[in-house]
Amino acid sequence: MNIEDIVGILAGVFTTIAVMPQIWKAVKTRSVKDVNPYMFVILCLGVGLWTFYGILKKDWPIIITNGISLILNAIMLYLVVSSSYKKN
Amino acid sequence: MNIEDIVGILAGVFTTIAVMPQIWKAVKTRSVKDVNPYMFVILCLGVGLWTFYGILKKDWPIIITNGISLILNAIMLYLVVSSSYKKN
């Protein structure tokens, strides 16, 4: 494994897990009023398209990292949207 | 330009601009208490490493999209951290 592979794997792990602390905070505090749901709508669209890109290119690392990212960002989007509905 | 290129460009644009609505909301409301700064610490590390990956591979699209993403996520991290300091 060369330096590029190691940097690429680390980069993929960090960008994939980044949303986890935000999910944790949203679940713990049950408050998301300062979170803009459009951030997570656009992120879901983006990583969804990256997953599709990986499928088109038959590139498993792209499919797996972005597939996990899509699930995590969709969870966060659900937390924000469901909280907004409850308040209305 | 083939279908893969178009999907890849759209995916890159979406994941790069996703943080913009969150920056807008933070600036407008001046409130970020529900935002977890660790999300943006990890995102900055991740897209910073992707930028470095692009430099190692001499891949300009990776450098440009992740470089812009690094600047935007660093702005959001600054807004969250500076707001936390003000309250302490």
Side-chain angles (χ1 to χ4, degrees):
Chain A
M1 195 149 63
N2 58 24
I3 180 81
E4 285 96 334
D5 289 343
I6 295 166
V7 172
I9 290 167
L10 278 175
V13 169
F14 280 129
T15 45
T16 302
I17 65 169
V19 73
M20 286 180 176
Q22 184 59 64
I23 292 174
W24 167 248
K25 182 157 192 167
V27 170
K28 206 177 60 168
T29 64
R30 291 166 176 258
S31 173
V32 287
K33 88 172 168 45
D34 300 331
V35 178
N36 193 327
Y38 290 107
M39 174 171 181
F40 295 95
V41 170
I42 300 170
L43 269 179
C44 285
L45 274 171
V47 296
L49 282 167
W50 275 129
T51 310
F52 183 46
Y53 179 83
I55 292 166
L56 290 173
K57 290 251 188 184
K58 296 186 178 63
D59 185 321
W60 283 102
I62 291 181
I63 296 171
I64 293 166
T65 53
N66 287 286
I68 295 170
S69 204
L70 178 58
I71 294 165
L72 292 172
N73 282 295
I75 291 171
M76 186 58 209
L77 179 59
Y78 170 77
L79 290 172
V80 181
V81 173
S82 62
S83 160
S84 310
Y85 276 119
K86 263 181 240 161
K87 277 171 197 155
N88 292 337
Chain B
M1 196 150 62
N2 56 23
I3 179 81
E4 285 97 333
D5 289 343
I6 295 166
V7 172
I9 289 167
L10 278 176
V13 169
F14 280 130
T15 47
T16 302
I17 65 169
V19 73
M20 286 180 175
Q22 184 60 65
I23 293 174
W24 168 247
K25 182 157 193 168
V27 169
K28 205 177 59 168
T29 64
R30 291 167 176 256
S31 173
V32 287
K33 85 171 169 47
D34 300 331
V35 178
N36 194 327
Y38 290 107
M39 173 169 182
F40 295 96
V41 170
I42 300 170
L43 269 179
C44 284
L45 275 171
V47 296
L49 282 167
W50 275 130
T51 310
F52 183 46
Y53 179 84
I55 292 167
L56 290 172
K57 291 252 186 180
K58 297 185 177 65
D59 185 321
W60 283 103
I62 292 180
I63 296 171
I64 293 166
T65 53
N66 287 285
I68 295 170
S69 205
L70 178 59
I71 294 166
L72 292 172
N73 282 294
I75 291 171
M76 187 59 209
L77 179 60
Y78 170 78
L79 290 172
V80 181
V81 174
S82 64
S83 160
S84 311
Y85 277 120
K86 262 181 240 160
K87 279 171 195 156
N88 292 337

